[in-house]
Amino acid sequence: MNGYLLRKMAVYTLITGIVAAIFIGITLGNNLPDYATIEEPHPLRWIFAMGAFGICGIISSILYTGGVIAAIIVQTNEKKTV
């Protein structure tokens, strides 16, 4: 296992962050009109969405870095055994 699984998890985490950001941005903006009170979309909805994406991006970069380090370690060990 040369870090492939960690890099794959990093990509999936980043995709999850994109989906979560779009979901948060859209759902916080779709308040159904109530005729008794006028509700507007949440003013910070896209900031919350970018925050969710940013957190997933940080986790993804940590996973990807771990995958690259694991690949370097495997290559170093293969050179030593040959």
Side-chain angles (χ1 to χ4, degrees):
M1 181 72 99
N2 55 2
Y4 172 74
L5 182 61
L6 284 173
R7 289 193 301 264
K8 192 173 183 179
M9 287 171 45
V11 170
Y12 287 144
T13 304
L14 197 59
I15 291 171
T16 303
I18 292 170
V19 171
I22 291 171
F23 180 76
I24 290 171
I26 291 174
T27 55
L28 285 180
N30 287 340
N31 292 329
L32 296 175
D34 185 8
Y35 296 110
T37 61
I38 298 175
E39 293 184 15
E40 296 180 359
H42 198 285
L44 298 176
R45 63 185 174 146
W46 291 111
I47 294 175
F48 293 155
M50 290 301 111
F53 175 70
I55 290 170
C56 288
I58 291 169
I59 293 170
S60 175
S61 66
I62 292 169
L63 290 173
Y64 196 85
T65 303
V68 170
I69 291 172
I72 293 171
I73 291 171
V74 167
Q75 287 177 357
T76 305
N77 289 339
E78 287 176 355
K79 288 180 182 177
K80 287 181 180 178
T81 58
V82 173

